[in-house]
Amino acid sequence: KNQVEQSPQSLIILEGKNCTLQCNYTVSPFSNLRWYKQDTGRGPVSLTIMTFSENTKSNGRYTATLDADTKQSSLHITASQLSDSASYICVVIGDKNQAGTALIFGKGTTLSVSS
Amino acid sequence: DTGVSQDPRHKITKRGQNVTFRCDPISEHNRLYWYRQTLGQGPEFLTYFQNEAQLEKSRLLSDRFSAERPKGSFSTLEIQRTEQGDSAMYLCASSLGSGVNEQFFGPGTRLTVL
């Protein structure tokens, strides 16, 4: 069964600290992996998109890594800010010919950054 | 702001009533998706359109749900005879081209069924 598991479920860190969120998947075939940020009560916003051949991709203070062999991805946030408080969702795209059901969403990690 | 808009942002209704939501995608995007998201969960796929054609529907889309995209631009999602279990955030997303290209999500419509 295609699944995306994220850990931890929730995380609290102090402003200015770094953190790493994990995503493990059992999706086959694999097309690409995306990280989204979702503020409370808002829709998800894309942070990074990585294909099978990409190991790392950065977007400002966000850096995503992908190990397609172990089927693991991580999202590292550097020098956290209060505005980073949100849910971070890992999405794995499987069979790209199935546009709807190809997207397998994780449940997200809720990050709270405190001052 | 991703360029995808949804209306209304919030809807409170009584059980048994019908509700309709609207999504306006990014204008040049040919694909439009509907998702449902409950608290603490990731979005769940409901259905998607390519232009005006509804190409895929999830088994989550019961016969009380219907979606349309009559002119290949905006889309509506109607829920008939709402149930308390329908309470959720309903998200719309759009993308350009074929395949599973990057999706841009709207802000969602929060439905509460009393």
Side-chain angles (χ1 to χ4, degrees):
Chain A
K1 181 181 177 182
N2 289 331
Q3 285 187 315
V4 175
E5 300 286 343
Q6 292 188 243
S7 62
Q9 184 175 351
S10 62
L11 182 62
I12 301 173
I13 62 173
L14 290 174
E15 187 179 14
K17 298 296 185 182
N18 304 335
C19 68
T20 300
L21 314 180
Q22 299 291 341
C23 173
N24 296 337
Y25 62 93
T26 57
V27 178
S28 181
F30 173 86
S31 178
N32 60 68
L33 185 146
R34 306 171 185 176
W35 283 93
Y36 283 87
K37 178 187 179 187
Q38 185 174 24
D39 292 319
T40 301
R42 311 288 295 181
V45 175
S46 179
L47 293 175
T48 63
I49 300 176
M50 288 186 293
T51 62
F52 182 90
S53 59
E54 295 177 296
N55 299 119
T56 186
K57 183 164 281 189
S58 293
N59 178 1
R61 295 179 297 102
Y62 302 100
T63 299
T65 64
L66 173 64
D67 185 334
D69 291 333
T70 61
K71 299 188 176 181
Q72 295 179 326
S73 176
S74 65
L75 180 70
H76 186 73
I77 304 174
T78 303
S80 61
Q81 301 176 357
L82 296 178
S83 59
D84 292 331
S85 296
S87 178
Y88 292 83
I89 301 174
C90 175
V91 186
V92 178
I93 289 75
D95 183 354
K96 57 185 178 181
N97 294 315
Q98 300 292 325
T101 53
L103 282 79
I104 312 299
F105 289 80
K107 293 182 178 181
T109 291
T110 301
L111 174 65
S112 298
V113 181
S114 61
S115 57
Chain B
D1 183 1
T2 63
V4 179
S5 61
Q6 292 188 244
D7 184 72
R9 295 292 310 279
H10 303 275
K11 178 71 176 179
I12 300 174
T13 190
K14 293 182 179 179
R15 189 173 51 187
Q17 298 295 305
N18 299 342
V19 294
T20 299
F21 310 141
R22 177 180 170 123
C23 171
D24 286 89
I26 295 172
S27 59
E28 63 268 26
H29 283 188
N30 58 331
R31 287 196 168 180
L32 186 149
Y33 303 77
W34 284 100
Y35 294 91
R36 181 175 71 184
Q37 185 178 27
T38 54
L39 198 62
Q41 303 293 315
E44 297 173 294
F45 169 74
L46 292 178
T47 187
Y48 94 93
F49 293 83
Q50 179 160 303
N51 300 314
E52 66 274 10
Q54 188 173 18
L55 295 188
E56 196 172 347
K57 292 194 285 188
S58 162
R59 65 182 186 278
L60 294 175
L61 208 69
S62 75
D63 56 5
R64 296 186 298 107
F65 288 69
S66 62
E68 294 182 341
R69 195 182 183 198
K71 298 182 180 179
S73 56
F74 74 92
S75 175
T76 59
L77 177 68
E78 181 184 17
I79 308 175
Q80 296 181 327
R81 305 180 303 281
T82 53
E83 302 172 356
Q84 288 186 324
D86 296 331
S87 295
M89 173 80 90
Y90 289 84
L91 293 165
C92 171
S94 69
S95 67
L96 180 64
S98 61
V100 192
N101 294 330
E102 183 177 1
Q103 296 182 335
F104 295 83
F105 284 84
T109 294
R110 169 72 65 187
L111 172 66
T112 301
V113 182
L114 301 176

